[in-house]
Amino acid sequence: MDAPPVLLSEAEIAKRVKSLAEQIDQTYADAGSLVLIGVLKGSFIFLADLARNLTIPHRIEFIAVESYGAKESDVADPVRLLMDVRHAIDDEHVLLVEDIVDTGHTLAYLKRLFTAHDPASLRTCSLLHKPERTEQDVALDYLGFTIPDVWVVGYGLDYAERYRTLPYIGELPPEMR
Ligand code: PRP
C-alpha cells in the first residue's frame, strides 16, 4: 500500500494533542470528573492519545453514528445514532471528541442529542475542521487543526476503511482513491 503524502506529521499531532489536553485540564480542574465521549470510528486514536495526556479524573464512553447519503439529505436529520453511551451522563461534565468536522451535521446532531440529557456542561473537541465544507456551524471549544478541503486519512480517519492506523494525517490524492 502506497503511503499518502504527509499533511500533518506525527510530531505536529503529538504536540497539538498535548496542548489540547493541557487546555482541557485547566478548564475542568475544579470539575471533579469529566466524561469523554468519542464518536466512532474515526476518533478512536485521537481520543486514546488525548485521554492519556490528561491529568484530571475522567472516564471514557463511545458512541457510533451513521450519516445518510446525499440522496437522503432532505430528511429532517441526516444523522442517526447507532450506539449510545453505556452509562448515563446526566449532571456530568461532557466533552464530545471528534476526529473531524466536515459539514458539521454530525456534531450539531450530537450537541442536540446530549443537551437533552441535561449534562452539567457540554463542550466539543475535534482534531480537524474543514471550514470550506461546513454547512452547519458548530462552535468548537477545542480544535486541533483547521485544514483545507482535501481528503484526509490516517490517525483514525479512513478511506473505505483503509489507512486508519497510519501514524500521521495524510492527504489522499485522487489517484489513490
Ligand atoms: C466522519 C467523522 C465525523 C463525521 C463528520 O465520520 O468521524 O463523525 O464524519 O462529518 P460531518 O461534519 O459532515 O457530519 P465517518 O462518517 O467518516 O465515519 P467513521 O468515523 O466511522 O469513519
Side-chain angles (χ1 to χ4, degrees):
M1 184 163 72
D2 286 339
V6 177
L7 183 68
L8 298 164
S9 70
E10 269 188 89
E12 281 175 279
I13 296 168
K15 190 174 165 202
R16 192 72 191 113
V17 170
K18 189 167 182 285
S19 156
L20 288 173
E22 283 167 6
Q23 289 177 46
I24 294 166
D25 272 344
Q26 281 174 15
T27 304
Y28 296 95
D30 301 322
S33 71
L34 171 65
V35 184
L36 300 172
I37 302 183
V39 185
L40 293 173
K41 298 177 189 170
S43 72
F44 79 114
I45 289 179
F46 174 44
L47 178 70
D49 283 347
L50 186 69
R52 286 179 295 176
N53 273 279
L54 291 176
T55 61
I56 53 166
H58 60 273
R59 66 180 177 89
I60 312 275
E61 292 279 349
F62 283 105
I63 53 168
V65 294
E66 176 182 63
S67 300
Y68 294 104
K71 282 187 190 149
E72 292 162 283
S73 62
D74 290 345
V75 293
D77 222 325
V79 183
R80 188 166 70 99
L81 190 68
L82 295 178
M83 187 186 89
D84 206 345
V85 291
R86 199 75 68 83
H87 299 102
I89 52 105
D90 312 51
D91 300 321
E92 300 263 24
H93 292 283
V94 172
L95 181 61
L96 286 168
V97 180
E98 267 286 21
D99 52 325
I100 186 164
V101 174
D102 193 343
T103 64
H105 292 308
T106 303
L107 205 54
Y109 164 80
L110 292 174
K111 277 185 93 169
R112 287 197 302 278
L113 182 75
F114 286 106
T115 299
H117 285 264
D118 284 327
S121 69
L122 179 64
R123 290 187 176 88
T124 54
C125 176
S126 182
L127 179 68
L128 307 173
H129 181 213
K130 270 188 199 175
E132 287 166 52
R133 296 257 312 158
T134 302
E135 295 171 4
Q136 211 165 345
D137 217 8
V138 276
L140 282 164
D141 297 288
Y142 306 97
L143 171 63
F145 303 93
T146 298
I147 58 165
D149 185 12
V150 294
W151 196 296
V152 279
V153 293
Y155 201 69
L157 291 101
D158 75 312
Y159 173 70
E161 296 303 324
R162 292 162 63 202
Y163 303 108
R164 283 198 201 274
T165 51
L166 201 66
Y168 61 90
I169 302 275
E171 177 180 343
L172 198 66
E175 64 273 17
M176 289 180 74
R177 291 176 211 161

